[in-house]
Amino acid sequence: MRLRFCKGDWIAIAAVVLFAAVLASAFALHAAAAAGVTVEVRLDGELLFSCPLEQDAVYTVQGDYTNTVTVRDGKAAVTASDCPGADCVHSGWIDAAGRAVICLPNRMELRLAGAAEDVDIIVG
Amino acid sequence: MNKTRHLALCGLLLALALCLSYVERFIPLDLLVPLPGVKLGLANIVTLTALYFLGAKTAFPILILRCVLGSAFGGGPSALIFSLTGGLLAMAVMAAARRLPFLSIYGVSILGAAAHNTGQVLASMVLLRSVYAAAYLPFLLAVSIAAGMLTGTVSALTFRALAATGQLPARGTKQKRT
């Protein structure tokens, strides 16, 4: 049993960094390739609302909890929620394709879909 | 170690894991790292201790009970799914990583923390039927390196202290008779 940090542990750190970098670059490439960005609001995977990111909008999602989604100045966010913890509100604003704000208690997803949505992104 | 002592030790570790996951909620980590859902993963110290000293067969029921009781005390059924998928993947990875001779407890702990985050993101991908949830994972993985170092440090100190007192036998060494 090794109890001291050793050279081999750098391999573990490198593996985690590599995995994170591959994943991040896959999403970055997806965002760069996107021509137009569409805001999509989904509940349990079902599309309830969508609009172009350039168009300002306010939409209220009613599930187990209530989320208010705001689209303004080419950014989108969950601006109000009555879910416990309100992690979705604290996630803040997103503005690039491939990004998403999730409210797990409500099973709500606010996603920014790129125009090339038909092409599946390959992750890790 | 006789059966009664073994059972008492399991109960103690379970209580400790529940305490740590409860206390963790009061640490305002999101002031330091502005990412929602980020945790230190202190209960992983118990999983590591159980894994190293008592083996996977004992660590497994402790983990399951910790997740079930933890969500019963606060969190609810959705919290149970996330803590179970994260916890089980972390345990599987750590049980395998422990066999790698070039890794110390720090490396095992970091891989466990990364696996825990990956498991939770996988659960949210299934629950929301969306690959977009994975966009958040790189940020969580970066934090998991620091969190894994921290839990690894605490575990290493704990192991040294326990081995020094002879309370718990280090695996592969002869048990001292008391």
Side-chain angles (χ1 to χ4, degrees), chain A residues 2-4 8-9 44 109 117, chain B residues 101 104-105 107 129-130 132:
Chain A
R2 284 168 176 250
L3 292 180
R4 258 173 230 288
D9 292 327
D44 268 329
E109 184 194 17
E117 176 64 6
Chain B
S104 79
I105 187 150
R129 293 175 207 91
S130 160
Y132 281 65

Side-chain angles (χ1 to χ4, degrees), chain A residues 1-6 8-9 13 17 19 23 27 30 44-45 91 98-99 102 104 107 109 111-113 117, chain B residues 36 52 82 101-107 110 124 128-133 135 137-138 141 145 149 156 159-160:
Chain A
M1 185 164 56
R2 284 168 176 250
L3 292 180
R4 258 173 230 288
F5 191 86
C6 59
D9 292 327
I13 294 177
V17 169
F19 179 43
L23 210 55
F27 276 95
H30 177 69
D44 268 329
S91 297
R99 295 271 177 237
I102 286 160
L104 285 174
R107 293 193 298 285
E109 184 194 17
R111 101 166 44 151
L112 298 186
E117 176 64 6
Chain B
Y52 270 82
F82 285 96
F102 56 87
L103 287 184
S104 79
I105 187 150
Y106 290 90
I110 288 165
S124 61
L128 297 162
R129 293 175 207 91
S130 160
V131 288
Y132 281 65
L137 186 55
L141 286 173
I145 295 173
M149 276 300 287
F159 285 16
R160 261 184 224 144

Side-chain angles (χ1 to χ4, degrees), chain A residues 35-57:
Chain A
V37 184
T38 309
V39 180
E40 293 184 6
V41 178
R42 287 167 189 266
L43 196 67
D44 268 329
E46 191 192 332
L47 184 64
L48 292 184
F49 172 80
S50 77
C51 77
L53 187 61
E54 293 76 32
Q55 180 190 314
D56 290 2

Side-chain angles (χ1 to χ4, degrees), chain A residues 45-70:
Chain A
E46 191 192 332
L47 184 64
L48 292 184
F49 172 80
S50 77
C51 77
L53 187 61
E54 293 76 32
Q55 180 190 314
D56 290 2
V58 176
Y59 182 76
T60 308
V61 195
Q62 185 71 55
D64 291 345
Y65 300 95
T66 308
N67 303 132
T68 305
V69 172
T70 305

Side-chain angles (χ1 to χ4, degrees), chain B residues 15-173:
Chain B
L16 197 58
L18 281 169
C19 278
L20 286 173
S21 53
Y22 184 73
V23 166
E24 192 171 66
R25 291 183 208 170
F26 300 103
I27 301 172
L29 191 65
D30 44 354
L31 292 181
L32 197 69
V33 192
L35 292 171
V38 167
K39 290 196 301 179
L40 284 175
L42 294 179
N44 213 33
I45 298 166
V46 174
T47 305
L48 265 175
T49 310
L51 204 57
Y52 270 82
F53 283 108
L54 302 167
K57 267 185 195 164
T58 311
F60 182 70
I62 294 176
L63 172 75
I64 300 288
L65 284 170
R66 188 250 292 177
C67 293
V68 172
L69 289 173
S71 63
F73 291 152
S78 72
L80 176 65
I81 299 171
F82 285 96
S83 60
L84 268 182
T85 47
L88 285 174
L89 194 62
M91 170 161 277
V93 165
M94 290 194 297
R98 191 163 71 95
R99 314 246 174 247
L100 298 174
F102 56 87
L103 287 184
S104 79
I105 187 150
Y106 290 90
V108 174
S109 178
I110 288 165
L111 289 178
H116 195 280
N117 284 322
T118 308
Q120 292 197 311
V121 167
L122 283 176
S124 61
M125 285 168 76
V126 172
L127 202 68
L128 297 162
R129 293 175 207 91
S130 160
V131 288
Y132 281 65
Y136 192 48
L137 186 55
F139 301 103
L140 289 177
L141 286 173
V143 179
S144 77
I145 295 173
M149 276 300 287
L150 181 84
T151 52
T153 307
V154 177
S155 303
L157 292 172
T158 311
F159 285 16
R160 261 184 224 144
L162 286 172
T165 58
Q167 287 299 310
L168 284 172
R171 293 205 124 208
T173 61

